[in-house]
């Protein structure tokens, strides 16, 4: 009898089914986890960009996390970056680099980055970037008299850089410097005719005095002795004639394992070969797959845009109606997940 009662009670016991765990809430663009991934991505982009200037994060446009297992995620980021005044080879930490202002003709970079997170460690699998300068129309709206960016193969720009290098090399007792690339140039015509340039240089195996005898024999220093730098030059052409040149050498820098510091340097002749300079002023053109990543991404095309589809009119109306619902005292609404906050300015 007792066995029968026990059996009846057992049959009557409720059966508790395992409830699957709810998926984690999607990350917002300003969440700490998103910002940590963006920091890794920006450092990676700057480390693999061999031209121009360093970029900083301006805004996280979108983030998508694809779980791959209990301790592994694939993260897709869409980032807006802004150009700084630090040349890409400058040892200045990114946190100390000044963002180039709108009046200095700002440059924006758009990047899509694929990362993986394994046991809490982030690494970049692939990145795709391009950049563009703010429009001349936008600059002139806020500063009608500001000089605009000039094309880097402009005759006056090339003449100014050539004159600046000749002037510096004629006065130094150190290594003879050669042009690597022109980074920026602006020409102002009123009230004075002024050409301002910025360009990267590299030390050669000749002294400035030795170069006078045979400049063609002067070659860039080998990678284990490399010494790169950056120069600015301002040439006043009228109403007076005046040239001001300032160059700073950074000293030898040890590159990352998969980066050759000389891979982007074009060994030019004593003059300025046209191939030594580009025709644009914003050159964050980067498509890179990380050869050291544990997951191959060479066969996968990084999606160009990660932003969500625009909301329908009905969705907008429903969201507006939802906002009218009374909130508890002390309720702090969560900001929209994406896009994130603008850290500097929008262009």
């Amino acid at each position: 009898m007792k066995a029968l009662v026990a059996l009846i009670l057992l049959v009557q016991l409720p059966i508790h089914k395992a409830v699957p765990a709810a998926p984690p809430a999607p990350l917002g663009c300003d969440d700490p986890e998103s910002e940590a991934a963006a920091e890794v991505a920006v450092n990676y982009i700057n480390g693999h960009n061999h031209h121009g200037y360093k970029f900083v994060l301006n805004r996280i446009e979108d983030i998508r996390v694809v779980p791959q297992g209990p301790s592994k995620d694939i993260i897709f980021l869409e980032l807006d970056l802004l150009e700084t005044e630090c040349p890409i080879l400058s040892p200045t930490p990114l946190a100390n680099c000044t963002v180039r202002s709108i009046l200095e003709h700002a440059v924006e970079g758009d990047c899509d980055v694929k990362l993986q997170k394994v046991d809490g460690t982030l690494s970049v699998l692939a990145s795709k970037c391009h950049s563009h300068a703010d429009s001349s129309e936008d600059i002139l709206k806020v500063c009608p008299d500001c000089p605009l960016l000039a094309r880097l193969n402009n005759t006056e720009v090339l003449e100014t850089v050539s004159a600046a290098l000749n002037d510096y090399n004629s006065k130094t007792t150190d290594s003879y410097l050669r042009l690597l690339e022109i980074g920026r140039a602006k020409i102002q015509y009123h009230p004075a005719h002024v050409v301002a340039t910025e360009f990267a240089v590299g030390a050669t195996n000749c002294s400035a005095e030795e170069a006078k005898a045979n400049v063609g024999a002067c070659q860039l220093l080998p990678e284990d002795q490399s010494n790169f730098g950056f120069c600015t030059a301002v040439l006043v052409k009228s109403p007076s004639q005046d040239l001001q040149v300032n160059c700073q050498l950074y000293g030898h820098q040890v590159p990352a394992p998969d980066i050759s510091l000389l891979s982007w340097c074009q060994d030019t002749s004593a003059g300025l070969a046209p191939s030594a300079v580009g025709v644009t002023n914003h050159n964050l053109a980067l498509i890179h797959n990380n050869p050291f990543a544990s997951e191959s991404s060479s066969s996968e095309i990084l999606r160009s845009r990660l932003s969500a589809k625009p909301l329908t009119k009905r969705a907008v109306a429903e969201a507006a109606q939802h906002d009218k619902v009374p909130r508890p005292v002390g309720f702090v609404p969560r900001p929209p997940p994406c896009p994130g906050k603008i850290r500097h300015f929008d262009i």
Side-chain angles (χ1 to χ4, degrees):
M1 185 63 179
K2 290 182 179 180
L4 180 59
V5 172
L7 180 61
I8 294 173
L9 291 175
L10 181 62
V11 172
Q12 291 179 342
L13 287 176
I15 299 176
H16 297 282
K17 296 182 178 179
V19 178
L27 283 179
C29 281
D30 292 331
D31 288 347
E33 295 89 343
S34 304
E35 294 184 342
E39 182 179 3
V40 170
V42 171
N43 289 336
Y44 181 88
I45 290 166
N46 283 326
H48 290 77
N49 178 26
H50 302 153
H51 301 276
Y53 303 84
K54 296 180 181 181
F55 280 76
V56 298
L57 178 66
N58 189 39
R59 189 181 204 182
I60 302 176
E61 285 287 340
D62 203 3
I63 181 169
R64 183 169 65 96
V65 181
V66 182
Q68 299 290 298
S71 59
K72 180 180 178 181
D73 294 324
I74 298 296
I75 302 172
F76 294 93
L77 279 176
E78 182 182 334
L79 306 176
D80 284 347
L81 312 181
L82 285 175
E83 183 187 82
T84 72
E85 297 179 2
C86 289
I88 198 65
L89 285 178
S90 169
T92 302
L94 186 60
N96 296 338
C97 292
T98 302
V99 175
R100 202 177 293 276
S101 71
I102 291 179
L103 299 185
E104 287 292 317
H105 214 145
V107 172
E108 180 181 38
D110 299 317
C111 293
D112 295 323
V113 187
K114 177 183 177 183
L115 306 93
Q116 69 176 0
K117 187 176 184 179
V118 180
D119 294 329
T121 301
L122 288 160
S123 59
V124 174
L125 297 177
S127 59
K128 178 181 179 182
C129 297
H130 71 276
S131 56
H132 60 277
D134 195 4
S135 69
S136 299
E137 292 78 7
D138 288 346
I139 301 297
L140 295 176
K141 285 178 183 178
V142 296
C143 184
D145 298 325
C146 285
L148 302 175
L149 290 176
R151 294 178 70 85
L152 302 183
N153 61 352
N154 178 285
T155 301
E156 289 188 276
V157 171
L158 297 178
E159 289 175 347
T160 300
V161 173
S162 180
L165 269 176
N166 289 335
D167 181 78
Y168 181 87
N169 282 322
S170 68
K171 297 176 181 178
T172 184
T173 57
D174 297 325
S175 296
Y176 178 81
L177 300 185
R178 303 191 79 153
L179 174 71
L180 300 181
E181 69 172 9
I182 300 176
R184 272 185 159 245
K186 293 189 295 184
I187 302 177
Q188 182 175 336
Y189 295 98
H190 302 287
H193 188 176
V194 181
V195 183
T197 61
E198 301 177 10
F199 51 96
V201 294
T204 68
N205 57 355
C206 296
S207 67
E209 188 65 28
E210 291 170 338
K212 294 178 181 179
N214 185 10
V215 69
C218 300
Q219 303 297 323
L220 290 172
L221 293 173
E223 187 169 298
D224 60 349
Q225 305 172 33
S226 60
N227 187 7
F228 301 119
F230 200 74
C231 299
T232 59
V234 177
L235 174 63
V236 179
K237 304 187 73 172
S238 67
S240 61
Q241 290 283 332
D242 181 50
L243 175 64
Q244 297 180 1
V245 183
N246 180 39
C247 293
Q248 177 186 6
L249 292 177
Y250 301 135
H252 176 58
Q253 299 178 64
V254 179
D258 60 335
I259 301 174
S260 171
L261 284 178
L262 296 180
S263 64
W264 67 280
C265 301
Q266 303 191 42
D267 191 9
T268 62
S269 62
L272 294 176
S275 61
V277 294
V279 295
T280 59
N281 300 77
H282 44 89
N283 44 16
L284 181 62
L286 175 69
I287 298 178
H288 198 276
N289 291 323
N290 188 349
F292 298 99
S294 61
E295 175 176 315
S296 173
S297 56
S298 59
S299 62
E300 179 175 343
I301 299 176
L302 203 62
R303 39 191 262 166
S304 60
R305 304 302 289 176
L306 303 175
S307 55
K309 295 180 180 179
L311 292 175
T312 63
K313 291 183 178 179
R314 178 179 177 182
V316 172
E318 289 177 350
Q321 185 65 30
H322 179 70
D323 287 340
K324 296 179 181 179
V325 177
R327 304 297 188 187
V329 176
F331 174 80
V332 179
R334 178 183 173 87
C338 286
K341 63 185 178 184
I342 296 176
R343 289 160 170 77
H344 301 282
F345 51 81
D346 191 21
I347 65 172

